[in-house]
Amino acid sequence: MNFTERDRAVEAAVARGLVGPGEPVAGLLDIAGIRRSAAELRSAFAEFTAPGTPVLHAFAVKAASLVPVLRLLAQEGLGCEVASPGELALARAAGVPVGRTVLDSPAKTLAELREALALGIAVNADNAEELTRIDALMASAPSRAPIGLRVNPQIGGGSIGAMSTATDTSKFGVGLRDEGARDWVVQSFLARPWLTRLHAHVGSQGMPLELMAAGVRELFDLAEEINEQAGHQQIDTLDIGGGLPVNFSSDATTPTYREYAALLHQTVPGLLSGRYGIVTEFGRSLLAKHGTVLARVEYAKSAGGRPIAVTHAGAQIATRTVFVPDAWPIRVAAYDAQGRPKTGPPVAQDVAGPCCFAGDLVAENRPLPRLEADDHAALLDTGAYYFSTHFAYNSLPRPGIYGYATDPDGTVRFATVRTPQTLEELTAESGGAHTRSLDELGGR
């Protein structure tokens, strides 16, 4: 049997007790794989972009809100795209410079805007009311922070409606095809010399590359129109978002960053010519392939003639997969009690999580070597979002996450990315310091 890097990491994680009776689920991150993806992103755009063009690849922090991961990506030349005060705090804790940070959110508070402008963080305003807030802040305390406006080209959605942000009624940005909206955008720029960026993001998983490129084309054409009316290049940077979809059906990485960059070069010839600085905001595509959720099988049972492997990885980790399995299916690999790839004839079985509702299944009727108690189920392609969107159902603690690297002699080394949440920490998070606070309000 040919063992993969992932197979070696799983076996080592079990041998070292990162997953076991006391810690029945953990996340594993392939550090070499993450570095490789970052390098592929940089080289893909460098190949098609004119020399000297300012390019910032800002990682979408929501895809992996883990400080060591953000620091690793910063070492690989990436910045951060943040969408909340928490994400900004994580980026700053990771040492990401404010000049390589972009703030996007449809619901920025006045305090968030004030902080970002004071720090010099790039801000993309989402709507007219937010732009009015920025007007007031710029009048009282002028900032040299790059400021842009997010627009929605309204070119349609992909195969997953919830991930499509360029539909007619999307909550994001200014809808360019709404009556009077395009003219309002142009006039808003002409009235504000400090408004120098345009931003658009057409969606994420489920989006065809051609639709993504069409959205960027709309953004580029609008920038050209504004600059022409201004009589000079007021808009100097285009933020084209991220959203490269991920293949969840095999180990193959497809589509690639190079395919997307080549399509942009063909579809929007002026985009990468050096006329504009470029910002990207990729997230899932950088990390998904490099993460594995490894869960111990606690019990093996059957119901209605179908085997069920009851594990410790369910809706609390794989939330989207459990609730929207058709849109977010993931692959599952079977490992034995020692963490070695399990062999044997495939048996259609359910792989269930620990949450107390019937639909807590990460795989249903899936052909796998039959899983038994003390075996392990590995949820593949889970490096993005699965470690940063924990669902606190049943007060299940957040699992530990570990990065790994393999030495030339095959030795697997681990580093802690996030320690497993303790029950004491979970209790404190759930109001443990205020146990008696309601007594004074009642009749006791």
Side-chain angles (χ1 to χ4, degrees):
M1 177 180 293
N2 293 323
F3 278 69
T4 66
E5 295 290 307
R6 180 174 60 234
D7 294 337
R8 293 188 180 92
V10 167
E11 184 175 15
V14 173
R16 297 178 202 185
L18 301 182
V19 175
E23 296 291 346
V25 61
L28 307 178
L29 284 170
D30 176 0
I31 301 309
I34 295 172
R35 292 187 187 277
R36 187 169 59 250
S37 285
E40 289 169 353
L41 170 60
R42 295 195 317 270
S43 64
F45 275 78
E47 178 181 350
F48 294 97
T49 303
T53 302
V55 178
L56 170 62
H57 297 296
F59 174 71
V61 172
K62 55 185 167 289
S65 49
L66 300 162
V67 172
V69 172
L70 304 183
R71 178 175 173 81
L72 172 68
L73 291 171
Q75 292 171 343
E76 292 298 313
L78 276 62
C80 280
E81 182 264 337
V82 301
S84 72
E87 290 184 356
L88 175 56
L90 298 179
R92 299 194 71 189
V96 178
V98 293
R100 299 184 65 78
T101 304
V102 180
L103 173 62
D104 292 323
S105 166
K108 305 179 198 71
T109 66
L110 188 60
E112 287 177 72
L113 290 170
R114 184 180 292 113
E115 178 185 24
L117 294 179
L119 290 172
I121 291 171
V123 175
N124 287 319
D126 179 81
N127 55 68
E129 291 186 356
E130 184 177 339
L131 200 54
T132 299
R133 283 187 176 182
I134 295 175
D135 283 337
L137 291 171
M138 290 292 285
S140 61
S143 169
R144 300 187 65 170
I147 303 174
L149 178 66
R150 180 170 185 168
V151 296
N152 171 12
Q154 294 175 307
I155 56 174
S159 62
I160 305 175
M163 309 307 294
S164 301
T165 58
T167 59
D168 286 347
T169 56
S170 170
K171 73 177 186 179
F172 293 103
V174 178
L176 287 180
R177 299 185 183 182
D178 288 2
E179 185 176 356
R182 191 181 188 95
D183 183 64
W184 177 85
V185 168
V186 173
Q187 296 305 315
S188 294
F189 275 85
L190 298 181
R192 297 171 174 86
W194 44 261
L195 198 56
T196 60
R197 292 186 171 194
L198 268 176
H199 171 44
H201 172 70
V202 303
S204 187
Q205 188 70 19
M207 302 299 297
L209 295 190
E210 293 74 16
L211 194 63
M212 294 170 62
V216 175
R217 176 79 216 196
E218 294 281 342
L219 187 73
F220 176 84
D221 289 345
L222 177 60
E224 294 282 276
E225 178 182 343
I226 292 170
N227 285 340
E228 181 179 0
Q229 292 205 32
H232 64 278
Q233 188 168 2
Q234 177 171 339
I235 296 176
D236 58 26
T237 300
L238 298 180
D239 186 334
I240 65 173
L244 192 74
V246 171
N247 163 39
F248 287 105
S249 62
S250 74
D251 279 336
T253 298
T254 178
T256 65
Y257 292 120
R258 189 185 186 282
E259 289 169 344
Y260 183 44
L263 180 62
L264 290 174
H265 182 67
Q266 174 187 348
T267 306
V268 198
L271 175 70
L272 306 177
S273 66
R275 195 148 73 243
Y276 295 97
I278 301 295
V279 177
T280 73
E281 300 174 354
F282 296 102
R284 177 181 293 106
S285 55
L286 280 161
L287 263 73
K289 287 290 179 188
H290 310 305
T292 302
V293 174
L294 184 62
R296 188 169 180 268
V297 178
E298 195 67 41
Y299 299 109
K301 56 189 290 188
S302 65
R306 183 184 297 173
I308 304 172
V310 181
T311 80
H312 291 269
Q316 90 280 21
I317 296 174
T319 312
R320 289 175 175 171
T321 295
V322 168
F323 287 109
V324 196
D326 291 340
W328 299 99
I330 53 175
R331 296 181 293 148
V332 178
Y335 292 86
D336 65 17
Q338 287 72 47
R340 297 173 300 211
K342 190 158 190 179
T343 59
V347 176
Q349 57 197 294
D350 292 350
V351 181
C355 298
C356 289
F357 65 95
D360 187 29
L361 303 171
V362 296
E364 189 171 1
N365 209 23
R366 184 76 57 85
L368 293 166
R370 185 159 184 163
L371 289 164
E372 305 290 350
D374 300 332
D375 284 344
H376 298 85
L379 314 187
L380 310 184
D381 306 328
T382 49
Y385 290 96
Y386 289 81
F387 300 149
S388 59
T389 53
H390 187 84
F391 178 38
Y393 199 92
N394 286 143
S395 296
L396 290 163
R398 289 184 286 275
I401 302 170
Y402 307 91
Y404 67 86
T406 306
D407 291 336
D409 65 359
T411 301
V412 179
R413 292 179 291 116
F414 291 97
T416 300
V417 174
R418 185 181 73 196
T419 56
Q421 186 181 31
T422 67
L423 295 182
E424 291 75 16
E425 290 168 338
L426 189 151
T427 301
E429 186 176 86
S430 300
H434 308 285
T435 301
R436 299 183 180 277
S437 64
L438 302 183
D439 293 356
E440 61 192 58
L441 303 180
R444 290 177 181 269

